[in-house]
Amino acid sequence: MILLDYPYTSDFLIDTVVKNQFPVVATKEAKEILQGTNANLITEEDAIAWVKSNPLSPVYTNSENSIAWIQQNLKGTALPAKIEAFKNKFKFRELIQEAYPDYFFKSATLSALANLDISDFKFPFIIKPAVGFFSIAVHKVDKPEDWPSIVSKIEKQMEKTKSLYPKEVVSNADFIIEEYIHGEEYAFDCYFDEKGEPVILNVLHHVFTSEYDVSDRVYSSSEEVIKRLYQPIMDFLQMIGSKIDLRNFPLHIEFRESEPGKINPIEVNPMRFGGWCTTADLTWFSYGINSYEYFFNSKKPDWNKVFEERKDKKYSLILLDNQSDIAQEDIAYFDFDAIAKDFEHPIHVRNVNMDKFGVFGFLFTETSKGNERELEEILHSDLKKYMVLKG
């Protein structure tokens, strides 16, 4: 069954749900999202009874917001504890500590940060909410004298997020401090099937402008990335599977490759693929793989067949956020037509409510080998050229 929730459900996911008649829990949010469709809605009471009677039945949610529903309504099942093991970054570090014995990490409350003694910490380090989402309040600390200003920024950012996301998504109480992992960053969608075997659905390279950049501007997938990292990722997933029983369980995982083939996880997001229906939809746009169907039908991609027709292509997910010095209230609208024209093959343009969610939208593209300059330019762009100002 599926739990649909805000902030965003894509048309592709809605079409998939309706076409396959996947059971959708009839929460207030789901009924609003699916209004006007012939979706297969089931009552919340029936959904609760079904999971309790069928504990290995696959459950998927498109949004972190639905974690609250699971925690409130599925007590007594294995799901809340499994979610907590991954969603709480400190608990996840404890779970895999045996596999990474030299890795430094520590927990602290928001109120304790200002007076925290960091003199013995390993620099540089990363601080972020123990339960967090969308790079909110994530900071790299290079030296002790930077700490007071960073704490001040975190306090302001966490105050702002209270109105955007529930506490289950972004906890404003607990933080994790952990050593900075050097290397290229990647993200991937996967699931564990009914037998507990992992299945990889996509792998994306998360590109940054510098080591100080923590934005989500560009993620790119390609044959080279998937084939090179396939086995190291499988080994990592099997290690996780040895620590916690996962069956019919979807995940979105971010990691850094500190040396060739060595995976160092950053975070593991349970019960879903990439947020805002991003990475799963990109997998369809790029490879013709419907991740939602693959999960519920326990299908595995035939990557060799997929890449027979997709040679020398790179498929990218681009976050259109405001990194300029222009205040949001001064922007009349964002010119999506203009930005699409600056790319070789824009596949899909996704417009969202900037005033409500803090981003203009997302762009899905296909780029030919040798034309990567378009991705480099958008990575460094403040997007001013696409902003039409008021007045």
Side-chain angles (χ1 to χ4, degrees), residues 4 14 17-19 21-24 30 34 36-42:
L4 294 181
I14 292 173
V17 166
V18 173
K19 180 185 74 173
Q21 287 294 285
F22 291 141
V24 180
L34 294 172
T37 73
N38 65 335
N40 179 18
L41 291 168
I42 59 173

Side-chain angles (χ1 to χ4, degrees), residues 216-217 318-323 334-336 339 343 349-352 354 358-363 378 383 386:
D216 293 313
R217 174 58 61 82
I318 299 166
L319 172 65
L320 305 175
D321 56 342
N322 187 0
Q323 297 183 18
F334 188 86
D335 194 337
F336 290 95
I339 195 171
F343 285 84
V349 178
R350 178 169 294 171
N351 184 351
V352 302
M354 175 68 184
V359 300
F360 299 112
F362 300 86
L363 182 65
I378 200 67
L383 304 184
Y386 308 111

